[in-house]
Amino acid sequence: MSKQLQVAAIQNGTVIDHIPNEKLVEVVRLLHLERLPNSSIMIGYNLNSEQLGHKSLIKVSNHYFSKEELDTLCIAIPNATLSIIEDYQIKEKRAFDMPSDFDNIVVCPNPMCITNNEPMPTKFHYCADKKVLKCHYCGKEVETDEVRFTK
Ligand SMILES: [Zn+2]
C-alpha cells in the first residue's frame, strides 16, 4: 500500500520539507511567498513526521529559489530538506549546506560596525567549529539562532 500524501504533488517546483512548526511563518516571510504571482503554493502545518513528530512543509510550483534565499534558509532552518521537482519526479533532494560566506544576508549586531554606519552590504563567515557567524569587518560573532536577517 502506498503511503498517502499529506499534501498534493506538484509537477515542477521546489519543496522545502522538515521545517520545524515554529519556523514556518518566518520561512514564509523570508522567502516572500506573497510575491510569487505565477506559483501555486501549498503550505502544510503540523503534519506528522517520523523524524520530528510534527513538521511543516512548503511546496512552490514553477519556482526555484535563488542562492541568496537558500543561504538564508541554511541559517533559519538548517535541518530542513530541499527538493527540486521536475515533471513530478524528484530531480534533486538534499540538506541545506552551510556556505562559508554570507553576503548581505545577516545584519551585524554591533552598532559600531561599519556596515551599520555606511550604505554597504554585510559579509559574514561561518565558523563551523563554533557554529557561529563572524562579521568580516568587525569580528563580532553571532549565534545562528540569534541572527537578524537583512530582508
Ligand atoms: Zn560587524
Side-chain angles (χ1 to χ4, degrees), residues 107-116 122-124 134-140:
V107 175
C108 185
N110 173 10
M112 302 300 286
C113 182
I114 189 168
T115 61
N116 288 317
T122 67
K123 187 179 183 70
F124 277 78
K134 189 170 184 177
C135 178
H136 176 76
Y137 298 100
C138 74
K140 177 77 180 172

Side-chain angles (χ1 to χ4, degrees), residues 6 9 16 22 27 54 57 71 90 95 109 118 122 126 134 141:
Q6 296 185 88
I16 301 164
E22 67 275 14
V27 171
H54 292 93
L57 71 77
D71 286 353
I90 297 173
E118 299 287 340
T122 67
Y126 179 61
K134 189 170 184 177
E141 294 182 351

